[in-house]
Amino acid sequence: MSNIRTRFAPSPTGLIHVGGIRTALYAWLVARGQGGQFVLRLEDTDQKREVAGADQHIIDSLRALGLDYDEGPDIGGSFAPYRQSERLDHYRAWAEKLIAAGRAYADPYSPEEIEQFRDAAKRDKKPFLYRNHRPEDPPVWDGQTALRFKSDAKDYHWHDAVMGDLSAGAEAIDDFILIKSDGFPTYNFAHIVDDAEMQITHVIRGQEFIASMPNYLNLYEALGIERPIFATLPHILNEQGNKKLSKRDGARDILDYFRAGFLREALVNFIASMGWNDGTEQEIFSVDELIAKFSLDRVGRSGARFDEKRLLWMNGQWIKRLDLDDLYARTLSKNVIASAAKQSRKSNDELDRHVANAPRDDKMSNFWGENGRKASEAEQKKVLAIVQDRLKTLADLPALSEYFFARPTPDWSMIDEHKQLGKLGRDEQIDLLGIASSVLAKIDEADWNEENLQSELNNLLSATNSKPPILFGLIRFALTWAPFSPGLSETMVLLGREETLARLLLSLER
Ligand code: GLU
């Protein structure tokens, strides 16, 4: 196909979560992988369900992940407007065509009458179908009543780029509403009109629409519109894999992951891999690799499991991979919108304006802890370099770094509660620390380096007949009073001889 055009068409009815983002990401990857365009269209035709601010949230989420779109409600494009509530005249025009062709009719029935039809069908043990109740002489459509499609029930066979060859019998087809009595189109009608007018080539969307496919195919024919390529994505399942992912299972607002210290690279990698792989064992993919390798025919047909532990692992992997300056820059801002814009492939006035207007929360401005924040850039970078490999998220930074910037208060309960260390008696703990402290004190300032420290520590192990988790664990606590910290000798080098010895003494005094 010469010009690939995909779209993400969310309804602004709430916070966007991983399921919605995966749909957007796959559509984006198809477009970017084939030199096509990616369009954002807001489907805001259900006024009752609309949530204020949800449209901005969608835009912010896409920006934060770097899923840039070529056309959309805030940036315009050749097929503007990209908000369905601003396109009512388009739906109206297509509706008039259907009426003129005898393929749509004003629905003459009241809800009570429809209820009666339903009850009658139930009594007769037959499925209720609107098409069995077509009015013989429908009123002229005045735009105040619902407009129904006059379907042409028949069997369908079609191909879905993910689900393969599908079919459905004529019983799946009915006269559905095109335009509601409030003047707004239904999703069923509006998306087909818009996809056609916006020259969308691939309709990539969730599984919830697949049952309506026969109706859509019927409407494409009535409108004389060529079918696009369909790709239906299976549900994302909860961690146990036994039901659709819901908010309760951790389907959080995607921006919350940024606030919690997840990287864009890890989120994109993780979301892409929920239901897709390249056929190898590879798990870590950069955005560019995904663009090069993604294809719809390798998307799985059954639901993908949402495994937050895997995301955490991936995030740690991505934190390790970043070069120090890049990682450092990301620790300085929790303002995902602003930092995403800096990384975005495209920069334009619209985006800059968007960033300038993005909400800023000063209390959340940075990932460093209270003391780390006051340190110089050089000090922060030194600390970051040695904790980098242990960070699972940027939010781990204070726990892993505060003790470098300020002397921690000894808290022996941490040792008492520790599985192995807690088993030693207090005397034994103090003896071990005391020996360690006097041995370390014999190392000169000039010899205070990782290699010497490591070999002294090893000697100490055999001299005290202790094991690394015990002896090193104890020293580690005495220096950091933190639940986890980098390698002991690295930590001691960064703290420096004087501070290391002072902390050991302080801990012993306690
Ligand atoms: N507005 C629909 C939704 O939010 C979009 C479905 C589609 O992509 O066509 O679920």
Side-chain angles (χ1 to χ4, degrees):
M1 208 171 290
S2 59
N3 190 17
I4 305 286
R5 287 174 58 83
T6 65
R7 76 339 186 243
F8 178 46
S11 302
T13 54
L15 298 177
I16 193 163
H17 57 75
V18 288
I21 288 293
R22 186 187 60 170
T23 305
L25 175 60
Y26 285 4
W28 182 81
L29 289 171
V30 168
R32 293 291 170 260
Q34 299 181 59
Q37 284 101 43
F38 176 60
V39 176
L40 173 64
R41 180 174 76 225
L42 292 177
E43 303 206 321
D44 58 345
T45 57
D46 196 345
Q47 305 254 294
K48 287 190 294 293
R49 288 180 56 225
E50 220 166 296
V51 171
D55 47 359
Q56 192 56 46
H57 183 263
I58 290 165
I59 290 174
D60 288 348
S61 302
L62 295 177
R63 296 274 194 238
L65 287 161
L67 306 185
D68 55 341
Y69 40 89
D70 304 286
E71 298 162 30
D74 55 336
I75 57 172
S78 324
F79 303 98
Y82 293 91
R83 216 179 260 280
Q84 287 187 327
S85 59
E86 294 168 11
R87 302 176 58 78
L88 300 185
D89 49 335
H90 296 245
Y91 313 122
R92 178 98 195 192
W94 284 90
E96 298 290 355
K97 270 194 239 174
L98 284 174
I99 295 170
R103 295 301 306 274
Y105 59 92
D107 187 341
Y109 301 119
S110 65
E112 294 74 32
E113 285 169 302
I114 290 178
E115 217 30 59
Q116 282 170 14
F117 295 150
R118 245 184 236 286
D119 290 345
K122 214 188 237 167
R123 256 196 325 273
D124 301 345
K125 298 201 165 61
K126 280 203 212 124
F128 166 70
L129 289 168
Y130 285 94
R131 62 178 154 87
N132 291 338
H133 301 278
R134 275 180 200 151
E136 255 162 45
D137 203 6
V140 175
W141 186 56
D142 57 2
Q144 312 286 313
T145 46
L147 184 71
R148 259 183 210 285
F149 176 48
K150 188 172 171 191
S151 60
D152 173 20
K154 53 180 162 170
D155 297 350
Y156 276 104
H157 296 268
W158 73 99
H159 184 76
D160 185 288
V162 172
M163 298 294 177
D165 290 324
L166 301 173
S167 61
E171 66 284 356
I173 293 187
D174 198 8
D175 291 1
F176 58 90
I177 292 184
L178 301 168
I179 297 193
K180 297 172 282 182
S181 56
D182 64 4
F184 281 78
T186 55
Y187 165 77
N188 295 341
F189 181 43
H191 86 275
I192 291 179
V193 167
D194 288 342
D195 285 341
E197 290 193 352
M198 297 177 182
Q199 298 178 9
I200 299 302
T201 55
H202 293 60
V203 169
I204 302 169
R205 65 183 157 200
Q207 191 176 329
E208 54 274 36
F209 300 99
I210 204 158
S212 306
M213 276 302 293
N215 280 314
Y216 301 157
L217 296 174
N218 210 232
L219 184 57
Y220 280 107
E221 281 171 15
L223 292 168
I225 292 173
E226 205 185 313
R227 294 178 190 180
I229 291 171
F230 298 106
T232 299
L233 309 179
H235 289 314
I236 294 181
L237 307 176
N238 65 4
E239 200 169 334
Q240 294 70 40
N242 56 13
K243 64 179 181 48
K244 198 178 149 193
L245 184 73
S246 71
K247 288 232 167 69
R248 228 178 307 134
D249 307 306
R252 290 199 262 172
D253 164 6
I254 196 77
L255 292 178
D256 275 349
Y257 285 101
F258 284 93
R259 297 182 191 111
F262 286 86
L263 303 184
R264 165 192 175 226
E265 288 84 347
L267 286 165
V268 168
N269 191 163
F270 172 71
I271 294 170
S273 66
M274 262 190 297
W276 173 87
N277 64 58
D278 72 342
T280 72
E281 295 290 297
Q282 185 173 346
E283 291 195 84
I284 301 295
F285 293 91
S286 68
V287 173
D288 287 335
E289 273 177 295
L290 288 172
I291 291 175
K293 293 186 173 176
F294 183 82
S295 71
L296 287 169
D297 57 13
R298 288 214 52 87
V299 173
R301 289 182 189 174
S302 54
R305 253 174 8 97
F306 175 80
D307 181 356
E308 216 169 45
K309 283 188 222 79
R310 183 155 181 263
L311 169 60
L312 203 59
W313 170 78
M314 270 190 187
N315 204 55
Q317 294 294 314
W318 273 105
I319 288 180
K320 267 188 217 175
R321 278 173 163 76
L322 291 189
D323 72 55
L324 188 64
D325 287 336
D326 188 359
L327 179 62
Y328 179 68
R330 301 197 203 197
T331 64
L332 296 181
S333 174
K334 281 192 185 177
N335 190 330
V336 293
I337 316 299
S339 32
K342 280 197 216 114
Q343 296 166 34
S344 170
R345 285 148 195 276
K346 257 207 274 188
S347 168
N348 61 35
D349 292 351
E350 269 304 325
L351 187 53
D352 292 345
R353 221 171 309 134
H354 178 78
V355 170
N357 295 333
R360 293 210 159 78
D361 183 343
D362 280 335
K363 283 199 291 304
M364 303 215 324
S365 60
N366 147 351
F367 282 103
W368 291 90
E370 206 185 317
N371 297 300
R373 236 168 249 213
K374 296 180 209 141
S376 69
E377 177 174 337
E379 285 172 305
Q380 288 177 327
K381 278 191 177 162
K382 262 192 231 158
V383 170
L384 189 60
I386 82 163
V387 302
Q388 177 167 12
D389 282 3
R390 283 174 178 77
L391 291 171
K392 290 279 175 287
T393 73
L394 299 180
D396 293 340
L397 198 50
L400 271 168
S401 69
E402 278 292 275
Y403 51 82
F404 283 110
F405 302 109
R407 211 173 263 182
T409 311
D411 172 8
W412 281 80
S413 71
M414 292 182 97
I415 291 183
D416 296 336
E417 282 156 23
H418 190 272
K419 223 160 96 207
Q420 286 156 303
L421 298 177
K423 285 193 197 128
L424 303 180
R426 184 68 89 230
D427 288 347
E428 208 178 331
Q429 295 165 348
I430 292 178
D431 274 354
L432 272 176
L433 263 188
I435 300 173
S437 164
S438 52
V439 167
L440 291 170
K442 290 197 193 102
I443 305 176
D444 287 339
E445 181 70 50
D447 295 328
W448 195 266
N449 57 45
E450 271 183 49
E451 207 179 319
N452 283 337
L453 286 168
Q454 196 55 56
S455 79
E456 283 303 334
L457 288 170
N458 290 342
N459 293 342
L460 203 54
L461 271 185
S462 33
T464 57
N465 198 17
S466 188
K467 295 216 160 27
I470 303 280
L471 180 69
F472 297 172
L474 210 50
I475 304 176
R476 207 189 275 259
F477 272 121
L479 293 176
T480 65
W481 297 105
F484 32 76
S485 50
L488 196 46
S489 45
E490 281 176 283
T491 304
M492 291 198 285
V493 168
L494 197 55
L495 286 173
R497 179 177 185 274
E498 205 181 314
E499 182 64 18
T500 301
L501 297 176
R503 287 188 187 192
L504 287 173
L505 273 187
L506 187 71
S507 297
L508 276 168
E509 277 164 17
R510 289 285 165 121

